[in-house]
C-alpha cells in the first residue's frame, strides 16, 4: 500500500467531472459532498453548472440585468437562488424541514459545502449557452465561478476523467 | 500500542461530525503532519469506518490501526 501511494503522488491527479443540471437542493448536496470528498482524496475536480444548476452560482436574489427581455426576466425571477427539494418540497415546507434535520445532524449546508469545495481547489464552470438562453451576464454570477465555457470544454475534461457524473 | 502513540503528531476529534466532514478535516490536518508521523482521528459517524480505509487507500496513506471503542472509531494514519 505504501509503494502504491508513492507512485500515485508522482503521477497526475485523477480527474472527476460533474455536470450539475439540477437546481434542487438535495441533488446539489450530493454533488458537493462527492466533489469535496474527492478533493480530499487529491482528485482534480470540476463541476460544470448548466440549466437549473446555474441557480447555485447566482449573485443576489434575482440575477436580473438591463439587457433581459420580459420572458427572461420572468424566468430569472421564478428561478431565484435554488432552495427547493426535488421531492416533497410542499411549497417550501419540505426544504425547511430538511434544513432543520440537516442542522440538527450537523450536516453542512450547500453554501458551506460550496465554500469548502472552492477552498479545496474544485473548479466551478458555468455553461455559456444557458447564460445566453436565460439572458444572464457574467455580472450576475458570484466570484466563485472560475470559468465560463461550453460543452466542448466539458467533454474534453470528461474524456480524460476517471469519474464523470450527471446530477 | 505505546510505539504508535509516540509517533502521533496530532489528534483530530471529529465526534459529532458526519460525512463528509471527518474526511475533509482529516485531509486538512494530514497536510500539516510531517512524513513518518501519525494523525490520530476520532469519529463516531458509522460511515467513518469504511470511509477512512477508502480515503487512505486513495490518498496513499497508511492506515496503521483502526479501533472501535463503544460507538467511536479511532484511526491511526501515517503519512509515508
Amino acid at each position: 500500500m505504501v509503494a502504491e501511494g508513492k507512485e500515485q503522488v508522482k503521477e497526475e491527479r485523477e480527474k472527476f467531472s460533474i455536470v450539475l443540471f439540477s437546481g434542487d437542493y438535495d441533488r446539489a448536496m450530493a454533488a458537493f459532498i462527492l466533489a469535496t470528498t474527492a478533493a480530499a482524496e487529491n482528485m482534480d475536480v470540476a463541476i460544470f453548472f448548466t440549466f437549473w444548476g446555474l441557480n447555485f452560482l447566482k449573485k443576489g436574489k434575482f440575477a436580473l440585468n438591463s439587457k433581459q427581455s420580459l420572458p427572461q426576466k420572468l424566468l430569472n425571477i421564478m428561478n431565484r437562488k435554488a432552495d427547493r427539494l426535488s421531492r416533497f418540497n410542499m411549497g417550501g415546507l419540505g426544504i425547511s424541514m430538511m434544513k432543520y434535520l440537516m442542522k440538527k445532524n450537523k450536516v453542512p449546508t450547500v453554501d458551506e459545502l460550496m465554500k469548502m469545495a472552492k477552498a479545496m481547489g474544485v473548479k466551478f464552470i458555468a455553461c455559456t449557452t444557458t447564460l445566453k438562453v436565460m439572458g444572464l451576464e457574467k455580472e450576475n454570477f458570484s466570484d466563485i465561478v472560475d470559468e465560463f465555457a461550453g460543452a466542448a470544454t466539458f467533454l474534453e475534461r470528461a474524456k480524460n476523467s476517471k469519474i464523470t457524473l450527471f446530477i | 500500542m505505546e510505539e504508535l502513540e509516540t509517533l502521533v503528531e496530532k489528534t483530530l476529534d471529529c465526534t459529532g461530525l458526519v460525512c463528509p466532514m471527518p474526511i475533509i478535516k482529516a485531509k486538512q490536518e494530514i497536510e500539516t503532519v510531517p512524513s513518518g508521523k501519525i494523525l490520530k482521528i476520532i469519529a463516531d459517524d458509522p460511515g467513518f469506518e469504511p470511509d477512512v480505509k477508502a480515503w487512505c487507500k486513495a490518498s496513499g496513506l497508511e492506515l496503521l490501526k483502526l479501533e472501535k471503542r463503544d460507538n467511536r472509531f479511532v484511526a491511526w494514519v501515517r503519512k509515508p
Side-chain angles (χ1 to χ4, degrees):
Chain A
M1 197 157 86
V2 181
E4 254 174 55
K6 282 188 176 148
E7 270 166 38
Q8 254 177 13
V9 172
K10 281 184 194 160
E11 280 166 18
E12 222 181 83
R13 291 186 300 162
E14 288 178 321
K15 289 189 167 69
F16 180 19
S17 300
I18 302 174
V19 176
L20 185 59
F21 175 97
S22 171
D24 296 326
Y25 196 87
D26 42 359
R27 290 192 176 208
M29 284 292 301
F32 290 114
I33 291 182
L34 288 170
T36 48
T37 309
E41 290 178 1
N42 257 322
M43 286 188 86
D44 177 359
V45 189
I47 309 176
F48 186 75
F49 295 79
T50 189
F51 268 88
W52 318 115
L54 286 185
N55 292 354
F56 296 103
L57 303 176
K58 287 180 181 172
K59 188 162 59 175
K61 217 172 168 194
F62 291 122
L64 298 175
N65 63 57
S66 51
K67 296 183 195 158
Q68 285 164 347
S69 64
L70 186 61
Q72 286 171 336
K73 282 197 161 66
L74 283 174
L75 189 62
N76 286 306
I77 290 174
M78 289 193 292
N79 265 299
R80 62 189 218 276
K81 258 187 126 200
D83 227 19
R84 58 172 293 127
L85 287 183
S86 63
R87 273 177 157 67
F88 305 117
N89 197 47
M90 300 183 289
L93 186 62
I95 183 80
S96 300
M97 274 169 51
M98 187 58 80
K99 282 186 173 176
Y100 163 75
L101 286 173
M102 278 168 49
K103 192 170 178 187
K104 195 151 180 256
N105 284 285
K106 302 208 186 139
V107 176
T109 63
V110 163
D111 270 331
E112 286 165 0
L113 284 171
M114 279 178 76
K115 289 196 179 87
M116 270 189 269
K118 181 80 177 176
M120 290 170 90
V122 172
K123 282 186 215 72
F124 286 66
I125 309 172
C127 166
T128 49
T129 300
T130 313
L131 257 86
K132 192 137 191 268
V133 166
M134 297 190 178
L136 295 165
E137 301 285 320
K138 290 186 183 179
E139 73 204 32
N140 293 125
F141 292 92
S142 86
D143 293 332
I144 209 170
V145 179
D146 292 303
E147 205 185 323
F148 290 87
T153 305
F154 173 75
L155 285 168
E156 172 63 40
R157 245 200 86 94
K159 266 199 255 181
N160 294 312
S161 296
K162 193 88 196 268
I163 313 174
T164 308
L165 294 176
F166 188 94
I167 300 179
Chain B
M1 176 69 175
E2 276 164 15
E3 255 179 49
L4 272 183
E5 291 299 332
T6 57
L7 287 170
V8 173
E9 176 79 13
K10 259 186 180 171
T11 301
L12 172 64
D13 192 343
C14 294
T15 310
L17 298 178
V18 294
C19 160
M21 295 319 295
I23 298 299
I24 290 183
K25 281 188 174 277
K27 161 78 170 164
Q28 285 169 347
E29 294 299 315
I30 200 80
E31 311 265 272
T32 66
V33 169
S35 189
K37 291 293 177 82
I38 294 174
L39 174 68
K40 186 171 168 185
I41 313 167
I42 307 166
D44 59 355
D45 177 22
F48 182 72
E49 191 183 2
D51 273 3
V52 71
K53 290 179 194 167
W55 174 64
C56 286
K57 187 171 178 204
S59 310
L61 297 165
E62 283 179 82
L63 178 60
L64 295 173
K65 193 171 174 182
L66 179 60
E67 233 177 53
K68 188 172 178 179
R69 295 172 182 171
D70 302 317
N71 64 338
R72 299 213 297 177
F73 298 97
V74 186
W76 283 264
V77 177
R78 180 162 64 191
K79 195 166 176 182

